[in-house]
């Protein structure tokens, strides 16, 4: 019984996804394309929305593969002004 | 001695507040120094604090969704109070659906095909870029040469002005094969404009304009290589390389090669189903900007060897060979005089030399064409509601043709003046009135008026209307080499005049961005009324083709189209379109009849699905082409049917995208539909009944293909 519960919890942990939203200083469609290309193929990212109008990047990810802080650092390392959205 | 100015930079702390309408502070607005990667977002009170290096010329840029961005000279100021204005209709964001966009802010009706739409189907070159598009038909001109023609509003490609970045191309000798001269790997986007377009671009768009934007060195991939192969043994390789020397200077180099591993005769009529075509295409372009000056220049070479006809094992085979060398060059200079008043001067220069040596059976046809083009445009806002474009245009077109049937050695020179006013009295109404006056040495002075109107009662609805005039000089054999793939007698009854037409059109579109389904519907009607036209009559006699002028008789095209699109759920989009076309000419001894080989009805339906991160894409297209008339057969000995039946073509493609790699696998013409007997008397090509010009559908059957692309972005 305990073994079954642990397995179910592990499955729940694996299935869990987190989201994070960032304000990113994007200037043009080129920035959108760059960010989209980079994050789409980042391990752990499962969904992504990049808005030039709102200057926001919304990411859905698997927390066991990548963290919100790693995504923040990745965007900063691309040279953009980034702030976490509350 | 060279004098150079060095700008002194210093670290500054800039602060301020950003307000919107009614002086409400705007949180999360983005503030940056123009050209700097640093920036800051405003807080909940609209305040910002930004530390960055500036000079005496630096400007502060403030942006926020739904508002027009503002650019302010910093000077000695460090504390700012900025008021942003809400966005106007002119700057409404254009919604892209899978890369196909019906432009909502333009006065002219323009449909833009972006990269996403281009690669929803097999796309080797420009001729295959319209497979999911209901407005443009692409078909083979004949059963032997592989020449393709476009139809827009039911009218064939001589009435469509083809431009590459607003430079006219593919007229005269290049027209029959021009669609194959632009590999898809070089295309950035395509704009389709129905009706006669702007007077700025010339006088010869009679049914519409198709403008191709190529990839540009200042925003292209660093490297992009692709390879294509299909089950009919055609293969193609493309390589593009770009280099940015600085932010202001960049170059792009492109090379293409295509060939066939083998050519077969699957329908058993003794003729190759598709020509054996080898093409080399090399292109180099440059971009430079210095202050108010923007410069572009490029050169291109296309070499093509095309062989078709009967298979080698025939006794005394009928053979077609077309050898082409084409050189192109262009230069564009743009001077931005006053950006606030949109005041600028642009000069476009282009030149092309096209040399062709060909044989159609026993008929040699050699020709060359030298074309030079100049367009100088001045544009400026006259006030807040009125904009002016005016300029000067000149074309030299030297045609030298050697053909034992008739020679066309026209040396055409034209010069023209044009002016165009764009009037926008309110956010929701705009009008463009254009007028040009041209002189052609082969004719005389002529006037080209054009009027375009747009009314947008709400942000979701646009209604457009247009009345426009167009004219052009026809070249019989250069633009219709398929006439040589027949043993009919060609009778030219008189000197052929310049073609002229009036085009009338209305359209309406509705798009709902707020709905999660993103529905859109568009409806349009266009009528093209020819005042003069070169008639090519296959109907009067099954053993003749009679060439004559319209001379006051009636000839028209009447097209109505309805198109709808909806996103059923995230990633899945359905599009459907129906088009009805009536094209009537006085063929058949002066009787007004539907033009042969032009179906009246067409339905196109597409379904596309892409996964959340767009790593997988699935596309399916069905095209149903309605029945139509064939040219009249001989009544005593009919060698073909009077009509052809409706037929449907299905295409499907799966794409997988990786970080640096894209793979496309698909099938064209899944149902394997082929036109039966595309060549009349194929096994007796020297008989009087031989005719390879009556093509209404695919000659090739089902075709599987695969494309692999590797790309490296510019970091």
């Amino acid at each position: 019984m305990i073994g079954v519960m642990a397995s179910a919890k592990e499955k729940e942990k694996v299935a869990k996804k987190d989201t994070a939203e960032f304000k990113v200083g994007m200037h043009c469609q080129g920035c959108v394309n760059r960010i989209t290309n980079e994050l789409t193929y980042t391990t752990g990212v499962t969904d992504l929305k990049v808005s030039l109008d709102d200057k926001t990047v919304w990411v859905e990810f698997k927390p066991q593969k990548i963290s919100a802080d790693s995504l923040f650092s990745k965007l900063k390392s691309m040279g953009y002004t980034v702030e976490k959205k509350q | 001695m060279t004098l150079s100015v060095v700008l002194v930079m210093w670290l500054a702390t800039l602060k301020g507040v950003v307000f919107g309408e009614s002086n409400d502070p705007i949180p999360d607005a983005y503030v940056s120094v123009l050209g700097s990667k640093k920036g800051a977002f405003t807080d909940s009170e609209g305040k910002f604090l930004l530390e960055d290096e500036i000079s005496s010329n630096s400007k502060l840029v403030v942006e926020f969704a739904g508002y027009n961005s503002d650019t302010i000279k910093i000077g000695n100021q460090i504390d700012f109070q900025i008021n942003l204005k809400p966005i106007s209709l002119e700057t409404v964001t254009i919604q892209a659906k899978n890369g196909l966009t019906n432009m909502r802010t333009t006065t002219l009706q323009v449909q833009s095909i972006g990269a996403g739409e281009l690669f929803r189907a097999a796309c080797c070159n420009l001729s295959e870029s319209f497979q999911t598009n209901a407005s443009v038909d692409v078909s083979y001109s004949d059963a032997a040469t592989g020449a393709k023609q476009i139809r827009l509003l039911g009218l064939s490609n001589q009435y469509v002005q083809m431009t590459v970045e607003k430079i006219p191309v593919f007229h005269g000798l290049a027209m029959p094969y021009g669609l194959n001269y632009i590999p898809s790997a070089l295309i950035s986007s395509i704009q389709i404009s129905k009706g006669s377009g702007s007077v700025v671009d010339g006088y010869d768009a009679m049914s519409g304009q198709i403008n191709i934007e190529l990839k540009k060195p200042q925003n292209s991939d660093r490297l992009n290589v692709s390879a294509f192969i299909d089950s009919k043994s055609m293969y193609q390789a493309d390589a593009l390389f770009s280099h940015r020397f600085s932010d202001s200077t960049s170059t792009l180099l492109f090379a293409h090669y295509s060939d066939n591993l083998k050519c077969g005769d699957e329908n058993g009529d003794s003729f190759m189903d598709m020509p054996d075509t080898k093409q080399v295409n090399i292109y180099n372009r440059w971009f430079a900007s210095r202050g108010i000056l923007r410069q572009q220049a490029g050169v291109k070479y296309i070499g093509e060897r095309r062989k078709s006809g009967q298979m080698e094992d025939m006794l005394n085979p009928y053979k077609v060979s077309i050898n082409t060398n084409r050189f192109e060059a262009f230069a564009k200079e743009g001077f931005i005089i006053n950006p606030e008043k949109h005041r600028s001067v642009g000069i476009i220069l282009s030149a092309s030399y096209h040399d062709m040596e060909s044989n159609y059976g026993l008929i040699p046809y050699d020709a060359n064409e030298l074309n030079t083009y100049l367009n100088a445009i001045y544009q400026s806002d006259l006030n807040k509601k009125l904009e002016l474009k005016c300029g000067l245009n000149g074309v030299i077109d030297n045609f030298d043709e050697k053909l034992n049937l008739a020679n066309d050695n026209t040396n055409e020179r034209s010069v023209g003046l044009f002016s165009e006013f764009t009037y926008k009295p309110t956010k929701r109404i705009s009008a463009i009135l254009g007028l040009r006056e041209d002189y052609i040495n082969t004719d005389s002075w002529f006037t080209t008026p054009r009027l375009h109107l747009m009314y947008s009662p709400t942000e979701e609805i646009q209604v457009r209307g247009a009345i426009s005039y167009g004219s052009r000089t026809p070249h019989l054999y250069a633009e219709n080499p398929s006439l040589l793939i027949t043993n009919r007698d060609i009778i030219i009854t008189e000197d052929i005049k310049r073609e002229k037409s009036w085009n009338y059109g209305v359209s309406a579109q509705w798009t709902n961005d707020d709905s999660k389904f993103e529905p859109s519907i568009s409806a349009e009607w266009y009528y093209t009324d020819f005042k003069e036209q070169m008639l090519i009559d296959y109907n009067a006699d099954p053993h003749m083709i009679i060439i004559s002028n319209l001379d006051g008789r009636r000839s028209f095209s009447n097209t109505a189209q309805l198109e709808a699109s909806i996103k059923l759920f995230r990633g899945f989009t359905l599009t459907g379109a129906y088009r009805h076309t009536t094209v009537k000419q006085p063929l058949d001894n002066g009787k007004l009849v539907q033009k042969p080989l032009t179906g009246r009805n067409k339905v196109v339906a597409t379904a596309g699905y892409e996964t959340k991160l767009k790593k997988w894409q699935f596309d399916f297209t069905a095209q149903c082409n309605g029945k139509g008339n064939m040219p009249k057969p001989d009544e005593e000995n009919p060698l073909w049917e009077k009509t052809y039946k409706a037929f449907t073509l299905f295409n499907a493609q799966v794409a997988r995208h990786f970080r640096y790699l894209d793979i496309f696998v698909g099938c064209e013409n899944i149902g394997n539909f082929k036109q039966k007997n595309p060549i009349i008397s194929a096994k007796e090509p020297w008989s009087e009944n031989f005719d390879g010009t009556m093509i209404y559908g695919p000659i090739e059957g089902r075709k599987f293909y695969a494309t692999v692309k590797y790309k490296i972005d510019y970091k």
Side-chain angles (χ1 to χ4, degrees):
Chain A
M1 191 67 173
I2 293 171
V4 170
M5 280 172 66
S7 177
K9 271 193 178 172
E10 276 181 10
K11 280 185 184 173
E12 189 186 321
K13 190 178 168 187
V14 166
K16 189 186 168 202
K17 289 176 187 171
D18 275 351
T19 63
E21 194 168 17
F22 306 98
K23 291 184 285 188
V24 180
M26 294 176 272
H27 291 285
C28 63
Q29 188 62 37
C31 296
V32 173
N33 295 343
R34 247 187 100 206
I35 292 169
T36 303
N37 281 342
E38 195 61 43
L39 293 187
T40 294
Y41 301 102
T42 296
T43 305
V45 172
T46 54
D47 199 358
L48 175 66
K49 285 174 192 155
V50 182
S51 169
L52 178 62
D53 283 344
D54 298 331
K55 297 208 188 309
T56 56
V57 173
W58 175 90
V59 188
E60 180 189 82
F61 57 95
K62 292 180 180 174
Q64 68 274 23
K65 294 213 170 161
I66 195 164
S67 65
D69 287 341
S70 298
L71 291 165
F72 178 87
S73 302
K74 199 173 199 48
L75 287 166
K76 274 205 89 91
S77 71
M78 291 172 75
Y80 295 105
T81 301
V82 188
E83 289 180 17
K84 275 188 192 168
K85 240 187 157 177
Q86 302 303 325
Chain B
M1 184 177 80
T2 305
L3 188 67
S4 58
V5 175
V6 177
L7 280 173
V8 176
M9 308 281 291
W10 65 91
L11 188 65
T13 302
L14 308 174
K15 58 179 182 169
V17 192
V18 179
F19 295 101
E21 267 186 316
S22 311
N23 279 331
D24 292 329
I26 298 179
D28 294 335
Y30 185 66
V31 183
S32 61
V33 174
L34 183 64
S36 170
K37 289 185 179 176
K38 276 189 186 178
F41 288 94
T42 55
D43 62 17
S44 57
E45 294 174 1
K47 294 178 183 171
F48 68 89
L49 190 71
L50 174 64
E51 198 175 86
D52 201 354
E53 287 202 339
I54 61 171
S55 72
S56 55
N57 286 347
S58 291
K59 292 179 182 171
L60 195 67
V61 181
V62 186
E63 302 165 86
F64 186 67
Y67 288 78
N68 288 312
S69 53
D70 201 1
T71 307
I72 305 148
K73 188 150 187 201
I74 296 174
N76 293 323
Q77 202 174 347
I78 56 168
D79 201 335
F80 298 85
Q81 186 167 301
I82 299 145
N83 282 76
L84 295 182
K85 290 177 188 164
I87 219 154
S88 62
L89 178 65
E90 289 79 28
T91 48
V92 163
T93 304
I94 295 164
Q95 183 189 15
K97 292 181 182 184
N98 285 334
L100 179 67
T101 309
N102 287 315
M103 308 291 273
R104 286 156 62 181
T105 59
T106 56
T107 309
L108 275 66
Q109 189 195 4
V110 179
Q111 192 176 55
S112 183
I113 305 174
E117 185 72 13
L118 285 172
F119 293 109
R120 289 182 64 198
C123 191
C124 296
N125 53 52
L126 177 61
S127 71
E128 290 158 344
S129 303
F130 305 101
Q131 293 192 46
T132 57
N133 193 287
S135 300
V136 179
D137 297 322
V138 182
S139 59
Y140 287 106
S141 304
D142 59 70
T145 64
K148 284 185 173 173
Q149 61 173 350
I150 263 179
R151 278 207 188 115
L152 185 63
L153 305 184
L155 299 171
S156 46
N157 49 340
Q158 50 259 53
Y159 304 115
V160 181
Q161 185 188 40
M162 301 285 293
T163 59
V164 171
E165 300 181 1
K166 295 298 183 177
I167 299 174
V169 293
F170 307 151
H171 35 66
L173 284 175
M175 186 181 290
Y177 308 103
L179 296 176
N180 294 330
Y181 290 162
I182 303 184
S184 57
L186 193 53
I187 301 174
S188 174
S189 64
I190 300 171
Q191 289 76 49
I192 302 167
S193 170
K194 295 178 191 175
S196 299
S198 167
V199 294
V200 173
D201 300 324
Y203 47 75
D204 52 359
M206 294 166 80
S207 64
Q209 183 188 70
I210 294 178
N211 180 59
I212 302 114
E213 290 289 325
L214 301 182
K215 288 186 178 165
K216 295 168 182 56
Q218 60 270 33
N219 54 25
S220 174
D221 293 327
R222 178 74 154 134
L223 178 70
N224 191 317
V225 294
S226 60
F228 168 95
I229 191 161
D230 69 26
S231 55
K232 301 295 181 188
S233 302
M234 185 256 182
Y235 69 92
Q236 170 176 322
D238 299 288
L240 181 150
F241 171 75
S242 72
H243 183 68
R244 296 174 203 174
F245 295 94
S246 66
D247 286 342
S248 57
T249 307
S250 52
T251 186
L252 177 153
L253 182 63
F254 175 81
H256 159 93
Y257 181 76
S258 55
D259 198 350
N260 302 76
L261 291 171
K262 63 177 177 126
C263 293
D265 173 25
E266 289 182 6
N267 61 8
D269 66 357
S270 78
F271 274 73
M272 287 184 206
D273 295 331
M274 278 293 117
D276 177 10
T277 308
K278 296 178 192 349
Q279 189 190 106
V280 166
N281 198 318
I282 299 172
Y283 179 61
N284 175 225
R285 70 182 295 175
W286 290 77
F287 169 81
S289 66
R290 302 272 184 274
I292 65 165
L293 180 62
R294 301 283 179 275
Q295 295 173 297
Q296 295 185 69
V299 291
K300 191 176 194 185
Y301 167 72
I302 300 159
E304 188 177 85
R305 306 288 178 263
R306 196 176 275 256
K307 289 184 189 171
S308 65
Q310 286 184 298
M311 304 300 281
E312 288 294 341
D313 54 358
M314 299 298 293
L315 186 66
N316 194 21
Y318 181 95
K319 288 290 189 189
V320 175
S321 70
I322 304 157
N323 296 329
T324 303
N325 287 294
R326 181 176 173 84
F327 302 87
E328 296 176 7
F330 80 92
K332 289 184 180 179
E333 309 282 328
F335 302 89
I336 303 170
I337 300 167
N338 186 332
E340 285 168 9
K341 292 194 174 176
H342 302 114
R343 190 171 296 161
S344 66
V345 170
I347 299 171
I348 301 175
L349 290 159
S350 80
S352 66
Y353 179 71
H354 190 111
D355 182 71
M356 182 183 77
E357 293 177 3
S358 57
N359 284 282
Y360 294 80
L362 296 176
I363 304 174
Y365 176 33
D366 298 340
N368 61 67
E369 183 179 3
L370 175 66
N371 180 284
T372 55
Y373 171 86
L374 161 72
N375 210 25
I377 309 162
Y378 168 80
Q379 69 178 63
S380 177
D381 290 345
L382 298 180
N383 55 46
K384 283 185 183 172
K385 296 179 183 177
L386 193 61
E387 177 193 303
L388 166 71
K389 286 183 190 172
C390 60
L392 167 73
N393 172 254
V395 178
I396 297 173
D397 195 41
N398 286 348
F399 219 88
D400 188 12
E401 185 177 70
K402 292 185 188 68
L403 180 64
N404 60 6
L405 300 175
N407 281 344
D408 179 351
N409 294 322
T410 326
N411 289 335
E412 192 171 272
R413 279 119 179 74
S414 71
V415 63
L417 294 169
F418 58 84
S419 62
E420 181 179 272
F421 292 92
T422 303
Y423 180 55
K424 294 182 182 177
T426 71
K427 287 181 190 178
R428 305 206 177 279
I429 296 174
S430 66
I432 298 178
L433 176 63
L435 197 68
R436 60 180 296 146
E437 190 70 22
D438 293 90
Y439 176 80
I440 290 190
N441 63 332
T442 54
D443 196 346
S444 178
W445 288 97
F446 62 96
T447 306
T448 303
R450 292 185 184 163
L451 174 66
H452 298 268
L453 302 167
M454 184 186 78
Y455 173 55
S456 184
T458 71
E459 282 193 11
E460 296 170 339
I461 300 173
Q462 291 81 43
V463 179
R464 294 180 172 88
I467 302 173
S468 50
Y469 182 79
S471 63
R472 63 179 299 274
T473 304
H475 297 282
L476 178 60
Y477 290 105
E479 293 168 359
N480 303 282
S482 304
L483 293 174
L484 303 175
I485 315 282
T486 174
N487 287 340
R488 290 183 184 228
D489 291 327
I490 298 175
I491 313 293
I492 303 173
T493 60
E494 53 191 327
D495 286 340
I496 299 303
K497 298 176 186 174
R498 292 191 78 244
E499 299 181 297
K500 300 167 188 176
S501 69
W502 282 94
N503 182 285
Y504 311 90
V506 289
S507 65
Q509 68 184 60
W510 169 80
T511 313
N512 186 342
D513 292 330
D514 294 330
S515 164
K516 63 176 180 178
F517 300 108
E518 295 178 17
S520 74
I521 299 175
S522 67
E524 63 191 47
W525 169 80
Y526 282 91
Y527 184 83
T528 308
D529 181 20
F530 284 90
K531 297 304 177 191
E532 192 54 79
Q533 189 181 27
M534 178 176 72
L535 296 175
I536 301 177
D537 187 354
Y538 283 78
N539 257 13
D541 188 313
H543 302 290
M544 287 184 192
I545 301 172
I546 298 175
I547 315 294
S548 63
N549 292 311
L550 189 60
D551 279 336
R553 292 174 291 175
R554 213 171 150 216
S555 170
F556 67 87
S557 160
N558 195 357
T559 309
Q561 180 168 315
L562 187 65
E563 191 165 340
S565 170
I566 191 164
K567 190 184 274 189
L568 285 183
F569 51 86
R570 187 180 167 188
F572 186 70
T573 303
L574 278 176
T575 303
Y578 167 71
R579 194 188 72 218
H580 178 85
T581 306
T582 301
V583 180
K584 286 198 170 178
Q585 293 182 333
L587 309 174
D588 193 4
N589 295 311
K591 205 166 127 192
L592 200 62
V593 296
Q594 175 77 358
K595 189 179 174 195
L597 305 170
T598 307
R600 286 182 192 261
N601 299 295
K602 181 173 178 175
V603 174
V604 177
T606 71
Y609 175 70
E610 55 190 15
T611 53
K612 276 198 282 193
L613 290 174
K614 299 181 185 177
K615 289 182 180 177
W616 284 95
Q617 282 179 299
F618 303 86
D619 288 286
F620 178 80
T621 304
Q623 274 193 21
C624 181
N625 299 276
K627 61 185 180 185
N629 297 331
M630 297 287 284
K632 269 191 175 178
D634 190 309
E635 285 187 9
E636 288 178 12
N637 179 29
L639 295 175
W640 61 87
E641 301 290 332
K642 289 183 183 177
T643 61
Y644 59 88
K645 293 180 187 171
F647 62 95
T648 303
L649 303 175
F650 301 100
N651 301 328
Q653 177 178 278
V654 176
R656 175 72 167 97
H657 301 288
F658 299 89
R659 179 69 179 89
Y660 299 106
L661 196 68
D662 300 309
I663 300 173
F664 304 84
V665 174
C667 184
E668 280 188 341
N669 194 359
I670 296 169
N672 201 29
F673 175 83
K674 283 184 271 196
Q675 178 178 339
K676 287 184 186 155
N677 305 319
I679 302 178
I680 308 301
S681 296
K683 295 196 175 158
E684 297 171 328
W686 310 112
S687 71
E688 64 168 0
N689 295 319
F690 172 72
D691 193 337
T693 62
M694 293 184 285
I695 304 300
Y696 65 81
I699 303 166
E700 283 185 302
R702 185 185 304 124
K703 186 164 72 175
F704 294 95
Y705 64 88
T707 306
V708 176
K709 293 182 196 224
Y710 175 76
K711 62 182 190 295
I712 299 175
D713 303 330
Y714 225 107
K715 296 279 183 209

